[in-house]
Amino acid sequence: MNLKKKHFALLFMLTLSMILAACGGGTSDDESGNEGDSGSDSGEDQFVSILTGGTQGTYYPLGGTFAQLINDNVEGAEATAQSTGASVENMKTLKDGDGEIAFVQTDIASYASEGTVMFEGSPIDNVVAMGTLYPETIQIVTTKDSGIESVEDLKGKTVSIGAPGSGTRANAENILEVHGMTVDDIEARDLDFGDSTSGIQDGTIDAAFITSGTPTGAVEGLAATTDVNIVPVQQDKAAELIEKYPYYAEDEIAEGTYKLESAVPTVAVQAMLVVNKDLSEESVYNMTKAIFENTDQIQHSKGEFITTETALDGVGIELHPGAKKYFDEKGVSNE
């Protein structure tokens, strides 16, 4: 009987020691607070989801490149590009904490920060800027035969200003405003880019506002069969616009684009990167540095526009402290 008791006690102690060893090993992926857990100080910054746009657009392939630059240059980072519905959806997704970095137009970011236009009554205050990338140009497209040579000439004309609530519509309203006009001074049509250029082609509309990187495919298609004219936004009006709405920047459409005989001055919003405000200063500093110091590895045609020197043009919203630290070191300021 005593032998059985001793055997039971030995078995009990062996079982207890195995349980204690399993609890104290510190090897579980779920126990991020355990001492000795490799990389536990990185926390949420180890995995970086970059919210982009549709797979056929510009944001998605650039996002894939940026993810690779982060993975190659930021120790412990695991960044991936995620296809999304682009700017408006990206701002809302970051607000909900379901991502770390996102592509967005500068004007859309400002509307979100202010709680205006498509974000009316629902401001987003936990998304801040990393830096701007390249211009998304406001193009006022018409034909040479239309007789429209200035923004003022649009008065009384049938003009597409984009879909209701779209960024293009807001751009049109802003530009008309600095020229002393409103949408009530034109016969406004709410058309997407393809329908806009088709309307110009068949004569159902006279002109269209199109906000997109140049050259824009829909406008190139129009230029293939029609002599295109781009209405300029002159420098004094551009300066007035930028003073009131700082997310704009001066731009021009180059000679030869759409067979233009000379460059046309206009304005642009910028494609930009934004980040969740809760990301650490160190993390955002390292990712900003990884992207802007390796632009020579960007194979996309928009890569030539992505520079440290222009990265704060038209930002319009608060800059993340980590990004600010990087650009301060480079002597770049948006003041």
Side-chain angles (χ1 to χ4, degrees), residues 125-131 273-289 312 315 317-330 332 334:
D125 60 6
N126 67 331
V127 177
V128 292
M130 174 186 276
L273 292 176
V274 292
V275 295
N276 190 302
K277 195 173 187 176
D278 293 336
L279 292 180
S280 72
E281 179 176 323
E282 180 182 7
S283 174
V284 175
Y285 171 86
N286 288 335
M287 292 190 292
T288 305
K289 183 176 182 179
L312 299 183
V315 165
I317 64 171
E318 179 185 350
L319 191 64
H320 191 285
K324 185 177 188 303
K325 178 182 177 182
Y326 173 74
F327 292 118
D328 282 349
E329 288 180 357
K330 295 297 180 180
V332 180
N334 62 341

Side-chain angles (χ1 to χ4, degrees), residues 77-250:
E78 296 180 23
T80 58
Q82 178 181 336
S83 177
T84 71
S87 293
V88 174
E89 178 183 318
N90 290 351
M91 292 298 296
K92 292 177 179 178
T93 302
L94 280 192
K95 177 185 178 181
D96 295 337
D98 296 326
E100 286 70 42
I101 302 176
F103 285 74
V104 64
Q105 287 184 193
T106 49
D107 54 338
I108 301 299
S110 288
Y111 300 148
S113 177
E114 296 162 1
T116 58
V117 193
M118 67 284 291
F119 299 94
E120 185 70 42
S122 301
I124 295 176
D125 60 6
N126 67 331
V127 177
V128 292
M130 174 186 276
T132 57
L133 302 171
Y134 60 87
E136 301 213 61
T137 306
I138 288 84
Q139 306 165 67
I140 308 174
V141 182
T142 186
T143 66
K144 284 187 177 181
D145 294 337
S146 69
I148 299 171
E149 299 293 338
S150 68
V151 175
E152 289 86 354
D153 289 341
L154 294 173
K155 191 169 185 176
K157 302 294 186 180
T158 303
V159 183
S160 171
I161 57 173
S166 69
T168 298
R169 183 185 179 93
N171 300 149
E173 290 173 343
N174 295 159
I175 290 172
L176 291 172
E177 177 188 353
V178 298
H179 288 83
M181 300 165 63
T182 71
V183 292
D184 293 332
D185 292 311
I186 61 176
E187 294 292 330
R189 296 290 183 268
D190 304 320
L191 304 174
D192 64 22
F193 297 166
D195 288 340
S196 292
T197 52
S198 294
I200 293 172
Q201 174 83 51
D202 62 29
T204 57
I205 66 173
D206 300 301
F209 284 81
I210 291 179
T211 301
S212 178
T214 58
T216 302
V219 185
E220 284 188 303
L222 177 65
T225 59
T226 306
D227 290 332
V228 166
N229 184 43
I230 304 294
V231 179
V233 178
Q234 301 293 357
Q235 198 278 331
D236 60 332
K237 293 301 183 182
E240 184 179 341
L241 185 72
I242 294 165
E243 175 69 23
K244 187 164 187 178
Y245 303 107
Y247 42 78
Y248 285 100
E250 290 188 39

Side-chain angles (χ1 to χ4, degrees), residues 2 35 48-49 60 99 102 107 114-115 129 191 200 252 297 308 334:
N2 288 339
E35 291 184 9
V48 180
S49 179
Y60 184 75
D107 54 338
E114 296 162 1
L191 304 174
I200 293 172
E252 71 172 18
Q297 297 181 38
T308 300
N334 62 341

